[in-house]
Amino acid sequence: MLKKLWILPLMLLVFLIPMVSAQAAAKPEITNVRTATRTDANTPFVRTVLDVSGKANPKLYIDNSGEYVFVTLPNTGIGKNVAKSYKPNSNVISRVTLSSRSSSMDVTIKVPRAVTKNDVKVFTLPGATGSKVSSRVVIDINDKSGKLKQWSHWGDTNIGIKGATKPSQSWKPSSTKQPATNVPAYSSSKTYSLTKGLQGKTIAIDPGHGGSDSGAVGTYSKEKDITLAISKKVASLLSAAGANVIMTRTTDVDVYAPYDGAVEELQARCNIANAAKADVFVCIHIDSFDSPSAGGVTAYYNSKTPYDYGLANYIHLQNMKATNFADRGVKTANFYVLLHTNMPATLLELGFISNPNEEKALNSDAQQQNFAESIVKGLADYFNHNGN
Ligand SMILES: [Zn+2]
């Protein structure tokens, strides 16, 4: 008798616990929040993306002052480790705040300059994880400051995909090319060589930006032109050293299509290197920042192979001998091209176009040639050390 009395509450517990947790899992949650700026549209904008673990049905509301943009997600919660406040960009979005209200989530975006409905677009996309139930809520807010000049590197691959561009009238239709995103990411089968010498190596050079995407803009020059000029010099030095050079572009063009999405564009560049079974991938960019005093040279890598760091480091060491720009070091990053190339890769930021002294130097044939030579020396060092 005593035994049976104990069993009943126990059994209730056993049945109730899974029901409670199943209910909790059923309510979609915001699992991640991120922002990026885009200046490759007619009107630059800041994009905020919320990952949601289920279906999302966002509702937009802008207050009378135009200084607050509210997006409500009915029947949505927030993941445990998701921060509730963000300060992404002082010019376009000064603060993003997440707050729970009864069963819904309110996303409040404070903007420093009043916006109207014409400045804000809210839409949903399928989930970034590829899961059928998850979704992304995208909030695009136009830049009214005129200060957005930097095309930020979309390190997060999931922030913009094909379809993300549709709501904007300023986008031109994508080309009918095979979607670049169909190509699988990093292949584990090693195709790259680590033997000594540049002779016979296949080296992919990726001049950042191009065509409809000017990259960062200085007071009189554009990133896409400087990256191409340096890349061409690198290519001719490498060819002279007996390497097989693969360039993702040799003229002022988009590699995938004009006004394409960031993922298509960046994947197209990776595809070229992957298809060529390049031994290394070197991506050349020029940095930019709000303040003109920021400057210096950075080399980025992601340790998807044991040799990405060596590649970045050997080139960076040589780059620092080729300039008087500050040394910002060798850093890890989740940039798209670093992750989606099958070979060791580095992304070089060769100074700041927003820094007047560096912009001037970067437009000079002398500094361009210095960097081209240092990149080639660094590549030679890398192979001569077998990538280590
Ligand atoms: Zn760039």
mmCIF file of all heavy atoms in Angstrom, residues 157 178-186 206 248 255-256 260-275 281 336-337 339-342:
data_model
loop_
_atom_site.group_PDB
_atom_site.id
_atom_site.type_symbol
_atom_site.label_atom_id
_atom_site.label_comp_id
_atom_site.label_asym_id
_atom_site.label_seq_id
_atom_site.Cartn_x
_atom_site.Cartn_y
_atom_site.Cartn_z
ATOM 1 N N THR A 157 28.665 34.229 -42.654
ATOM 2 C CA THR A 157 28.141 33.818 -43.953
ATOM 3 C C THR A 157 26.623 33.848 -43.991
ATOM 4 O O THR A 157 26.034 33.816 -45.049
ATOM 5 C CB THR A 157 28.569 32.385 -44.259
ATOM 6 O OG1 THR A 157 28.023 31.538 -43.256
ATOM 7 C CG2 THR A 157 30.063 32.260 -44.273
ATOM 8 N N GLN A 178 24.491 29.612 -62.253
ATOM 9 C CA GLN A 178 24.276 28.597 -61.226
ATOM 10 C C GLN A 178 24.500 29.217 -59.846
ATOM 11 O O GLN A 178 25.494 29.909 -59.641
ATOM 12 C CB GLN A 178 25.292 27.476 -61.451
ATOM 13 C CG GLN A 178 25.097 26.266 -60.573
ATOM 14 C CD GLN A 178 23.877 25.459 -60.970
ATOM 15 O OE1 GLN A 178 23.307 25.654 -62.022
ATOM 16 N NE2 GLN A 178 23.481 24.571 -60.088
ATOM 17 N N PRO A 179 23.564 29.024 -58.908
ATOM 18 C CA PRO A 179 23.771 29.630 -57.598
ATOM 19 C C PRO A 179 25.091 29.162 -56.969
ATOM 20 O O PRO A 179 25.343 27.974 -56.862
ATOM 21 C CB PRO A 179 22.585 29.121 -56.776
ATOM 22 C CG PRO A 179 21.580 28.685 -57.770
ATOM 23 C CD PRO A 179 22.339 28.258 -58.998
ATOM 24 N N ALA A 180 25.885 30.132 -56.591
ATOM 25 C CA ALA A 180 27.201 29.808 -56.047
ATOM 26 C C ALA A 180 27.082 29.044 -54.738
ATOM 27 O O ALA A 180 27.949 28.278 -54.373
ATOM 28 C CB ALA A 180 27.985 31.094 -55.823
ATOM 29 N N THR A 181 25.990 29.256 -54.035
ATOM 30 C CA THR A 181 25.851 28.649 -52.716
ATOM 31 C C THR A 181 25.610 27.148 -52.793
ATOM 32 O O THR A 181 25.628 26.468 -51.788
ATOM 33 C CB THR A 181 24.700 29.313 -51.943
ATOM 34 O OG1 THR A 181 23.622 29.520 -52.856
ATOM 35 C CG2 THR A 181 25.113 30.628 -51.357
ATOM 36 N N ASN A 182 25.379 26.607 -53.991
ATOM 37 C CA ASN A 182 25.203 25.166 -54.116
ATOM 38 C C ASN A 182 26.515 24.414 -53.950
ATOM 39 O O ASN A 182 26.525 23.210 -53.768
ATOM 40 C CB ASN A 182 24.640 24.809 -55.501
ATOM 41 C CG ASN A 182 23.158 25.105 -55.552
ATOM 42 O OD1 ASN A 182 22.590 25.503 -54.545
ATOM 43 N ND2 ASN A 182 22.559 24.917 -56.696
ATOM 44 N N VAL A 183 27.608 25.145 -54.078
ATOM 45 C CA VAL A 183 28.899 24.480 -54.013
ATOM 46 C C VAL A 183 29.224 24.167 -52.555
ATOM 47 O O VAL A 183 29.092 25.016 -51.697
ATOM 48 C CB VAL A 183 29.989 25.383 -54.628
ATOM 49 C CG1 VAL A 183 31.359 24.774 -54.451
ATOM 50 C CG2 VAL A 183 29.673 25.592 -56.092
ATOM 51 N N PRO A 184 29.618 22.943 -52.268
ATOM 52 C CA PRO A 184 29.899 22.601 -50.873
ATOM 53 C C PRO A 184 31.066 23.413 -50.329
ATOM 54 O O PRO A 184 31.947 23.832 -51.073
ATOM 55 C CB PRO A 184 30.251 21.113 -50.934
ATOM 56 C CG PRO A 184 30.604 20.838 -52.359
ATOM 57 C CD PRO A 184 29.859 21.817 -53.184
ATOM 58 N N ALA A 185 31.044 23.612 -49.039
ATOM 59 C CA ALA A 185 32.108 24.353 -48.380
ATOM 60 C C ALA A 185 33.356 23.484 -48.275
ATOM 61 O O ALA A 185 33.471 22.478 -48.946
ATOM 62 C CB ALA A 185 31.634 24.799 -47.014
ATOM 63 N N TYR A 186 34.222 23.895 -47.387
ATOM 64 C CA TYR A 186 35.546 23.303 -47.239
ATOM 65 C C TYR A 186 35.564 21.775 -47.417
ATOM 66 O O TYR A 186 34.871 21.039 -46.738
ATOM 67 C CB TYR A 186 36.104 23.665 -45.864
ATOM 68 C CG TYR A 186 37.416 23.006 -45.585
ATOM 69 C CD1 TYR A 186 38.505 23.265 -46.396
ATOM 70 C CD2 TYR A 186 37.552 22.110 -44.533
ATOM 71 C CE1 TYR A 186 39.706 22.651 -46.152
ATOM 72 C CE2 TYR A 186 38.760 21.498 -44.284
ATOM 73 C CZ TYR A 186 39.833 21.774 -45.100
ATOM 74 O OH TYR A 186 41.019 21.169 -44.851
ATOM 75 N N ASP A 206 43.038 37.080 -54.909
ATOM 76 C CA ASP A 206 41.676 37.612 -54.936
ATOM 77 C C ASP A 206 41.692 39.107 -54.629
ATOM 78 O O ASP A 206 41.768 39.496 -53.467
ATOM 79 C CB ASP A 206 40.822 36.858 -53.910
ATOM 80 C CG ASP A 206 39.394 37.387 -53.849
ATOM 81 O OD1 ASP A 206 38.885 37.832 -54.899
ATOM 82 O OD2 ASP A 206 38.791 37.352 -52.754
ATOM 83 N N THR A 248 40.972 35.995 -59.286
ATOM 84 C CA THR A 248 39.505 35.916 -59.285
ATOM 85 C C THR A 248 38.906 36.988 -60.198
ATOM 86 O O THR A 248 37.803 36.854 -60.682
ATOM 87 C CB THR A 248 38.943 36.074 -57.873
ATOM 88 O OG1 THR A 248 39.398 37.326 -57.349
ATOM 89 C CG2 THR A 248 39.403 34.927 -56.969
ATOM 90 N N VAL A 255 32.667 39.461 -59.491
ATOM 91 C CA VAL A 255 33.061 38.120 -59.917
ATOM 92 C C VAL A 255 31.821 37.263 -60.201
ATOM 93 O O VAL A 255 31.803 36.471 -61.136
ATOM 94 C CB VAL A 255 33.972 37.458 -58.863
ATOM 95 C CG1 VAL A 255 34.263 36.002 -59.206
ATOM 96 C CG2 VAL A 255 35.281 38.244 -58.770
ATOM 97 N N TYR A 256 30.776 37.448 -59.442
ATOM 98 C CA TYR A 256 29.551 36.665 -59.667
ATOM 99 C C TYR A 256 28.587 37.440 -60.569
ATOM 100 O O TYR A 256 28.353 37.054 -61.695
ATOM 101 C CB TYR A 256 28.904 36.309 -58.327
ATOM 102 C CG TYR A 256 27.687 35.421 -58.475
ATOM 103 C CD1 TYR A 256 27.817 34.101 -58.878
ATOM 104 C CD2 TYR A 256 26.408 35.914 -58.200
ATOM 105 C CE1 TYR A 256 26.711 33.280 -59.018
ATOM 106 C CE2 TYR A 256 25.291 35.097 -58.333
ATOM 107 C CZ TYR A 256 25.446 33.781 -58.747
ATOM 108 O OH TYR A 256 24.337 32.987 -58.884
ATOM 109 N N ASP A 260 25.019 41.544 -56.677
ATOM 110 C CA ASP A 260 24.678 40.232 -56.157
ATOM 111 C C ASP A 260 24.747 40.251 -54.629
ATOM 112 O O ASP A 260 25.103 41.248 -54.017
ATOM 113 C CB ASP A 260 25.652 39.172 -56.718
ATOM 114 C CG ASP A 260 27.116 39.574 -56.520
ATOM 115 O OD1 ASP A 260 27.372 40.624 -55.904
ATOM 116 O OD2 ASP A 260 27.982 38.832 -56.994
ATOM 117 N N GLY A 261 24.381 39.126 -54.036
ATOM 118 C CA GLY A 261 24.489 39.009 -52.592
ATOM 119 C C GLY A 261 25.926 38.735 -52.201
ATOM 120 O O GLY A 261 26.723 38.260 -53.018
ATOM 121 N N ALA A 262 26.247 39.037 -50.958
ATOM 122 C CA ALA A 262 27.633 38.860 -50.497
ATOM 123 C C ALA A 262 28.068 37.407 -50.600
ATOM 124 O O ALA A 262 29.202 37.113 -50.963
ATOM 125 C CB ALA A 262 27.758 39.353 -49.058
ATOM 126 N N VAL A 263 27.168 36.501 -50.281
ATOM 127 C CA VAL A 263 27.558 35.090 -50.295
ATOM 128 C C VAL A 263 27.852 34.617 -51.718
ATOM 129 O O VAL A 263 28.874 33.966 -51.960
ATOM 130 C CB VAL A 263 26.464 34.217 -49.641
ATOM 131 C CG1 VAL A 263 26.759 32.739 -49.861
ATOM 132 C CG2 VAL A 263 26.412 34.509 -48.144
ATOM 133 N N GLU A 264 26.983 34.968 -52.663
ATOM 134 C CA GLU A 264 27.235 34.578 -54.052
ATOM 135 C C GLU A 264 28.588 35.112 -54.513
ATOM 136 O O GLU A 264 29.371 34.411 -55.141
ATOM 137 C CB GLU A 264 26.156 35.126 -54.995
ATOM 138 C CG GLU A 264 24.865 34.351 -54.993
ATOM 139 C CD GLU A 264 23.965 34.755 -53.853
ATOM 140 O OE1 GLU A 264 24.354 35.641 -53.064
ATOM 141 O OE2 GLU A 264 22.883 34.160 -53.729
ATOM 142 N N GLU A 265 28.813 36.378 -54.201
ATOM 143 C CA GLU A 265 30.043 37.029 -54.662
ATOM 144 C C GLU A 265 31.275 36.370 -54.049
ATOM 145 O O GLU A 265 32.241 36.069 -54.744
ATOM 146 C CB GLU A 265 29.981 38.520 -54.298
ATOM 147 C CG GLU A 265 31.185 39.327 -54.726
ATOM 148 C CD GLU A 265 31.375 39.395 -56.238
ATOM 149 O OE1 GLU A 265 30.390 39.214 -56.982
ATOM 150 O OE2 GLU A 265 32.527 39.611 -56.667
ATOM 151 N N LEU A 266 31.230 36.144 -52.763
ATOM 152 C CA LEU A 266 32.414 35.596 -52.093
ATOM 153 C C LEU A 266 32.599 34.119 -52.426
ATOM 154 O O LEU A 266 33.719 33.646 -52.600
ATOM 155 C CB LEU A 266 32.307 35.819 -50.583
ATOM 156 C CG LEU A 266 32.264 37.305 -50.186
ATOM 157 C CD1 LEU A 266 32.000 37.471 -48.697
ATOM 158 C CD2 LEU A 266 33.551 38.026 -50.582
ATOM 159 N N GLN A 267 31.478 33.394 -52.547
ATOM 160 C CA GLN A 267 31.603 31.981 -52.897
ATOM 161 C C GLN A 267 32.156 31.832 -54.313
ATOM 162 O O GLN A 267 32.942 30.921 -54.590
ATOM 163 C CB GLN A 267 30.250 31.265 -52.776
ATOM 164 C CG GLN A 267 30.319 29.761 -53.050
ATOM 165 C CD GLN A 267 31.160 29.013 -52.012
ATOM 166 O OE1 GLN A 267 30.937 29.154 -50.811
ATOM 167 N NE2 GLN A 267 32.131 28.230 -52.467
ATOM 168 N N ALA A 268 31.760 32.735 -55.201
ATOM 169 C CA ALA A 268 32.270 32.671 -56.575
ATOM 170 C C ALA A 268 33.795 32.771 -56.580
ATOM 171 O O ALA A 268 34.474 32.096 -57.356
ATOM 172 C CB ALA A 268 31.651 33.787 -57.409
ATOM 173 N N ARG A 269 34.320 33.602 -55.698
ATOM 174 C CA ARG A 269 35.785 33.758 -55.611
ATOM 175 C C ARG A 269 36.426 32.472 -55.062
ATOM 176 O O ARG A 269 37.463 32.024 -55.559
ATOM 177 C CB ARG A 269 36.129 34.965 -54.730
ATOM 178 C CG ARG A 269 35.681 36.264 -55.390
ATOM 179 C CD ARG A 269 35.664 37.457 -54.433
ATOM 180 N NE ARG A 269 35.002 38.581 -55.073
ATOM 181 C CZ ARG A 269 35.628 39.701 -55.464
ATOM 182 N NH1 ARG A 269 36.902 39.862 -55.256
ATOM 183 N NH2 ARG A 269 34.945 40.657 -56.062
ATOM 184 N N CYS A 270 35.787 31.898 -54.065
ATOM 185 C CA CYS A 270 36.294 30.628 -53.516
ATOM 186 C C CYS A 270 36.226 29.538 -54.576
ATOM 187 O O CYS A 270 37.150 28.723 -54.701
ATOM 188 C CB CYS A 270 35.474 30.200 -52.300
ATOM 189 S SG CYS A 270 35.517 31.382 -50.955
ATOM 190 N N ASN A 271 35.133 29.524 -55.340
ATOM 191 C CA ASN A 271 34.960 28.486 -56.363
ATOM 192 C C ASN A 271 36.113 28.499 -57.362
ATOM 193 O O ASN A 271 36.566 27.442 -57.804
ATOM 194 C CB ASN A 271 33.656 28.700 -57.131
ATOM 195 C CG ASN A 271 32.434 28.425 -56.274
ATOM 196 O OD1 ASN A 271 32.553 27.931 -55.163
ATOM 197 N ND2 ASN A 271 31.263 28.767 -56.789
ATOM 198 N N ILE A 272 36.550 29.687 -57.739
ATOM 199 C CA ILE A 272 37.630 29.799 -58.718
ATOM 200 C C ILE A 272 38.896 29.141 -58.164
ATOM 201 O O ILE A 272 39.548 28.344 -58.841
ATOM 202 C CB ILE A 272 37.869 31.283 -59.076
ATOM 203 C CG1 ILE A 272 36.666 31.803 -59.882
ATOM 204 C CG2 ILE A 272 39.177 31.470 -59.837
ATOM 205 C CD1 ILE A 272 36.661 33.303 -60.097
ATOM 206 N N ALA A 273 39.202 29.448 -56.922
ATOM 207 C CA ALA A 273 40.409 28.869 -56.299
ATOM 208 C C ALA A 273 40.246 27.368 -56.075
ATOM 209 O O ALA A 273 41.173 26.593 -56.310
ATOM 210 C CB ALA A 273 40.697 29.572 -54.975
ATOM 211 N N ASN A 274 39.063 26.957 -55.637
ATOM 212 C CA ASN A 274 38.827 25.536 -55.370
ATOM 213 C C ASN A 274 38.879 24.721 -56.657
ATOM 214 O O ASN A 274 39.449 23.630 -56.697
ATOM 215 C CB ASN A 274 37.476 25.332 -54.672
ATOM 216 C CG ASN A 274 37.463 25.906 -53.252
ATOM 217 O OD1 ASN A 274 38.512 26.205 -52.689
ATOM 218 N ND2 ASN A 274 36.284 26.074 -52.688
ATOM 219 N N ALA A 275 38.267 25.265 -57.718
ATOM 220 C CA ALA A 275 38.247 24.546 -58.992
ATOM 221 C C ALA A 275 39.667 24.396 -59.541
ATOM 222 O O ALA A 275 40.005 23.383 -60.155
ATOM 223 C CB ALA A 275 37.364 25.281 -59.994
ATOM 224 N N PHE A 281 45.466 30.677 -51.103
ATOM 225 C CA PHE A 281 44.516 31.719 -51.521
ATOM 226 C C PHE A 281 44.899 32.992 -50.786
ATOM 227 O O PHE A 281 44.969 32.999 -49.550
ATOM 228 C CB PHE A 281 43.103 31.274 -51.151
ATOM 229 C CG PHE A 281 42.006 32.225 -51.555
ATOM 230 C CD1 PHE A 281 41.416 32.126 -52.802
ATOM 231 C CD2 PHE A 281 41.541 33.193 -50.666
ATOM 232 C CE1 PHE A 281 40.369 32.983 -53.178
ATOM 233 C CE2 PHE A 281 40.512 34.062 -51.046
ATOM 234 C CZ PHE A 281 39.921 33.940 -52.297
ATOM 235 N N TYR A 336 34.336 34.965 -44.808
ATOM 236 C CA TYR A 336 33.766 33.936 -45.691
ATOM 237 C C TYR A 336 34.833 33.228 -46.522
ATOM 238 O O TYR A 336 34.880 32.010 -46.586
ATOM 239 C CB TYR A 336 32.729 34.587 -46.622
ATOM 240 C CG TYR A 336 31.889 33.576 -47.349
ATOM 241 C CD1 TYR A 336 30.668 33.168 -46.835
ATOM 242 C CD2 TYR A 336 32.321 33.006 -48.547
ATOM 243 C CE1 TYR A 336 29.899 32.224 -47.475
ATOM 244 C CE2 TYR A 336 31.560 32.057 -49.201
ATOM 245 C CZ TYR A 336 30.340 31.676 -48.662
ATOM 246 O OH TYR A 336 29.585 30.736 -49.302
ATOM 247 N N VAL A 337 35.689 34.002 -47.176
ATOM 248 C CA VAL A 337 36.659 33.381 -48.094
ATOM 249 C C VAL A 337 37.693 32.541 -47.348
ATOM 250 O O VAL A 337 38.267 31.615 -47.915
ATOM 251 C CB VAL A 337 37.372 34.429 -48.986
ATOM 252 C CG1 VAL A 337 36.376 35.094 -49.914
ATOM 253 C CG2 VAL A 337 38.117 35.456 -48.154
ATOM 254 N N LEU A 339 37.013 30.649 -44.853
ATOM 255 C CA LEU A 339 36.353 29.408 -44.448
ATOM 256 C C LEU A 339 35.929 28.545 -45.623
ATOM 257 O O LEU A 339 35.754 27.342 -45.478
ATOM 258 C CB LEU A 339 35.111 29.737 -43.607
ATOM 259 C CG LEU A 339 35.410 30.306 -42.221
ATOM 260 C CD1 LEU A 339 34.146 30.893 -41.610
ATOM 261 C CD2 LEU A 339 35.962 29.203 -41.333
ATOM 262 N N HIS A 340 35.708 29.144 -46.768
ATOM 263 C CA HIS A 340 35.123 28.394 -47.885
ATOM 264 C C HIS A 340 36.115 28.089 -48.998
ATOM 265 O O HIS A 340 35.719 27.680 -50.084
ATOM 266 C CB HIS A 340 33.891 29.126 -48.418
ATOM 267 C CG HIS A 340 32.763 29.131 -47.431
ATOM 268 N ND1 HIS A 340 32.726 30.000 -46.370
ATOM 269 C CD2 HIS A 340 31.681 28.338 -47.309
ATOM 270 C CE1 HIS A 340 31.642 29.757 -45.651
ATOM 271 N NE2 HIS A 340 30.993 28.758 -46.194
ATOM 272 N N THR A 341 37.367 28.301 -48.726
ATOM 273 C CA THR A 341 38.408 27.865 -49.658
ATOM 274 C C THR A 341 38.956 26.544 -49.139
ATOM 275 O O THR A 341 38.996 26.321 -47.923
ATOM 276 C CB THR A 341 39.527 28.914 -49.731
ATOM 277 O OG1 THR A 341 39.795 29.404 -48.401
ATOM 278 C CG2 THR A 341 39.130 30.071 -50.611
ATOM 279 N N ASN A 342 39.362 25.678 -50.054
ATOM 280 C CA ASN A 342 39.834 24.346 -49.654
ATOM 281 C C ASN A 342 41.318 24.322 -49.318
ATOM 282 O O ASN A 342 41.855 23.259 -49.010
ATOM 283 C CB ASN A 342 39.580 23.340 -50.783
ATOM 284 C CG ASN A 342 38.098 23.102 -50.981
ATOM 285 O OD1 ASN A 342 37.306 23.366 -50.084
ATOM 286 N ND2 ASN A 342 37.725 22.630 -52.158
#
